[in-house]
């Protein structure tokens, strides 16, 4: 699935550009369709395929929702290799790695090939997660915040009643969830990348302070409420969205992204407890967390930040017991 067009500026993580002031702004997603009855993308078994990296916090949001909702038999998943190369995310035949898989649909070499198959003139980044539609041969959606809502309710008719009834974005909490999501996204989910990808001292210093101010705000929220969850007294998508960043914090962001004002384990008792309860008490969180993929991806793939590609051994353990 070769293309004659030079797409290296879209695929090569070492060619990533920051803004003129050295700051990093994030990646806009291009495919934003929803799976819904009566729509272009109808909920159907064996029609959709999920592509993810176990290393990626955005993609892992999708795998957590897939498992929480019991969608494993409705939506198969393929895991890419964590070792991104100049063509972006490779599948296992190009970059073998324990737990990485080949592309079952097209034997594609890279995720890039799927994007160019869906849209030959695509000019964006070749990101995961993405939902592929086998019927229309295109990408339905490549934005994790949409994908988790699609998984939350889009396939309910195909699920047993007890799974269909599970709602991680319930009507009565939506306003509060949206508001928490908004500042956690800017301050923390994106904040670690703004800190790690900054290319000037000024941009870095601003980003790291804002990141820790947002973490301080989460710490206070959890400590004040005494709840095990961010919103109300129930697990919602807000927890899923924050968890995938926080679980990577001590093993990766503290070192690789210089997010080192404090660690989660030593500096944030309430966040630390919230994270460990989700991880140790709920298989949807634990079974979708792979520290090998996580550490290898960041330390190996961003050669401009870590030119030796050495993957650090610690912290030991990657997550403390409850
Ligand atoms: N807004 C997207 C962001 C996805 C994203 O940035 N994924 C990263 C991996 S953690 C990626 O695939 N990067 C590839 C690239 O930038 O070339 C989402 O939430 O789904």
């Amino acid at each position: 699935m070769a293309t004659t067009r030079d797409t290296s500026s879209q695929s090569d993580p070492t060619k990533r550009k920051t803004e003129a002031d050295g700051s990093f702004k994030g990646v806009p997603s291009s495919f934003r369709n929803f799976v819904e009855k009566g729509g272009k993308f109808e909920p159907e078994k064996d029609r959709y395929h999920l592509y993810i990296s176990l290393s990626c916090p955005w993609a892992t949001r999708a795998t957590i929702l897939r498992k929480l909702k019991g969608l494993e038999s409705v939506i198969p998943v393929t895991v890419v290799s964590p070792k991104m190369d100049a063509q972006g995310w490779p599948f296992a035949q190009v970059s073998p790695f324990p737990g990485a898989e080949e592309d079952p649909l097209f034997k594609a070499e890279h995720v890039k090939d799927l994007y160019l198959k869906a849209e030959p003139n695509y000019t964006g980044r070749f990101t995961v997660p993405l939902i592929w539609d086998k019927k229309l041969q295109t990408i339905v959606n490549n934005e994790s915040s949409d994908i988790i809502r699609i998984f939350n309710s889009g396939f309910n008719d195909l699920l047993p009643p007890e799974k269909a009834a599970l709602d991680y974005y319930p009507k009565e909490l939506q306003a509060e969830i949206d508001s928490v999501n908004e500042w956690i996204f800017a301050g923390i989910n994106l904040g670690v990348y703004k800190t790690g990808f900054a290319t000037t001292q000024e941009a870095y210093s601003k980003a790291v302070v804002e990141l820790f101010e947002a973490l301080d705000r989460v710490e206070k929220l959890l400590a004040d409420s005494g709840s095990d969850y961010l919103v109300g007294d129930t697990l919602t998508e807000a927890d899923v969205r924050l968890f995938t960043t926080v679980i990577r914090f001590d093993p990766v962001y503290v070192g690789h992204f210089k997010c080192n004002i404090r660690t989660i384990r030593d500096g944030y008792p309430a966040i630390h407890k919230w994270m460990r309860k989700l991880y140790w008490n709920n298989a949807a969180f634990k079974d979708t967390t792979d520290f090998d993929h996580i550490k290898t991806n960041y330390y190996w793939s961003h050669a401009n930040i870590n030119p030796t590609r050495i993957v650090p051994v610690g912290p030991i353990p990657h997550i403390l017991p409850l």
Side-chain angles (χ1 to χ4, degrees):
M1 261 183 270
T3 177
T4 46
R5 194 156 61 82
D6 177 15
T7 54
S8 60
S9 65
Q10 293 164 254
S11 65
D12 189 341
T14 64
K15 289 190 179 164
R16 205 110 306 161
K17 291 270 182 295
T18 49
E19 306 296 309
D21 65 356
S23 64
F24 172 77
K25 291 278 186 285
V27 189
S29 300
S30 314
F31 297 89
R32 305 292 299 265
N33 297 295
F34 275 74
V35 173
E36 53 205 353
K37 271 203 290 193
K40 183 175 174 192
F41 301 98
E42 291 265 4
E44 277 175 54
K45 197 172 186 297
D46 203 31
R47 171 167 173 181
Y48 301 100
H49 195 89
L50 178 67
Y51 288 94
I52 60 132
S53 163
L54 289 170
S55 63
C56 169
W58 318 100
T60 305
R61 293 170 166 185
T63 49
I64 292 173
L65 251 292
R66 174 176 173 268
K67 197 166 167 70
L68 284 172
K69 287 289 291 189
L71 282 164
E72 291 98 325
S73 63
V74 177
I75 304 159
V77 66
T78 295
V79 175
V80 302
S81 165
K83 292 183 164 178
M84 282 180 91
D85 58 32
Q87 306 300 312
W89 292 110
F91 289 99
Q93 77 270 32
V94 175
S95 175
F97 193 87
E101 297 168 315
E102 296 197 356
D103 170 28
L105 301 185
F106 309 107
K107 292 278 168 269
E109 294 189 347
H110 290 88
V111 166
K112 178 186 91 166
D113 304 333
L114 303 170
Y115 276 85
L116 297 177
K117 192 172 176 60
E119 180 55 67
N121 297 319
Y122 179 74
T123 55
R125 297 258 291 279
F126 307 115
T127 57
V128 289
L130 70 86
I131 301 177
W132 181 267
D133 176 9
K134 292 191 268 186
K135 194 165 177 179
L136 299 181
Q137 295 283 306
T138 193
I139 295 170
V140 180
N141 200 303
N142 70 338
E143 167 54 44
S144 64
S145 54
D146 292 345
I147 294 175
I148 59 176
R149 294 210 179 144
I150 293 172
F151 287 180
N152 184 51
S153 55
F155 292 92
N156 277 351
D157 284 356
L158 305 179
L159 291 174
E162 69 279 8
K163 290 293 185 191
L166 297 171
D167 187 358
Y168 300 100
Y169 187 53
K171 268 251 154 359
E172 65 281 9
L173 296 178
Q174 284 180 4
E176 206 183 329
I177 292 171
D178 289 346
S179 132
V180 164
N181 283 348
E182 191 180 339
W183 61 263
I184 287 184
F185 170 75
I188 302 176
N189 302 134
L190 199 55
V192 292
Y193 287 94
K194 287 193 267 192
T195 305
F197 287 150
T199 53
T200 62
Q201 184 68 51
E202 290 70 27
Y204 163 75
S205 300
K206 181 169 181 290
V208 77
V209 167
E210 287 171 0
L211 164 64
F212 279 85
E213 281 170 357
L215 284 169
D216 292 348
R217 191 170 166 190
V218 175
E219 177 70 13
K220 184 163 169 18
L221 186 157
L222 287 170
D224 287 354
S225 75
S227 172
D228 286 344
Y229 307 104
L230 285 174
V231 176
D233 217 3
T234 183
L235 180 66
T236 69
E237 64 160 47
D239 297 294
V240 175
R241 291 171 47 125
L242 179 61
F243 175 85
T244 60
T245 298
V246 169
I247 195 76
R248 286 159 177 72
F249 206 89
D250 290 1
V252 171
Y253 302 143
V254 169
H256 185 63
F257 277 175
K258 306 183 185 77
C259 302
N260 66 350
I261 294 181
R262 281 179 286 285
T263 58
I264 299 295
R265 64 184 64 190
D266 293 322
Y268 289 106
I271 299 177
H272 191 210
K273 191 161 190 189
W274 163 88
M275 175 189 83
R276 284 176 299 149
K277 279 189 167 170
L278 291 175
Y279 180 92
W280 292 110
N281 295 339
N282 191 329
F285 291 83
K286 183 167 182 291
D287 295 355
T288 55
T289 300
D290 187 314
F291 290 109
D292 242 14
H293 279 243
I294 290 171
K295 288 171 58 177
T296 301
N297 169 248
Y298 286 90
Y299 282 103
W300 195 92
S301 304
H302 303 149
N304 42 348
I305 298 179
N306 186 37
T308 62
R309 293 185 151 165
I310 290 169
V311 181
V313 171
I316 298 175
H318 290 128
I319 176 165
L320 289 164
L322 255 178

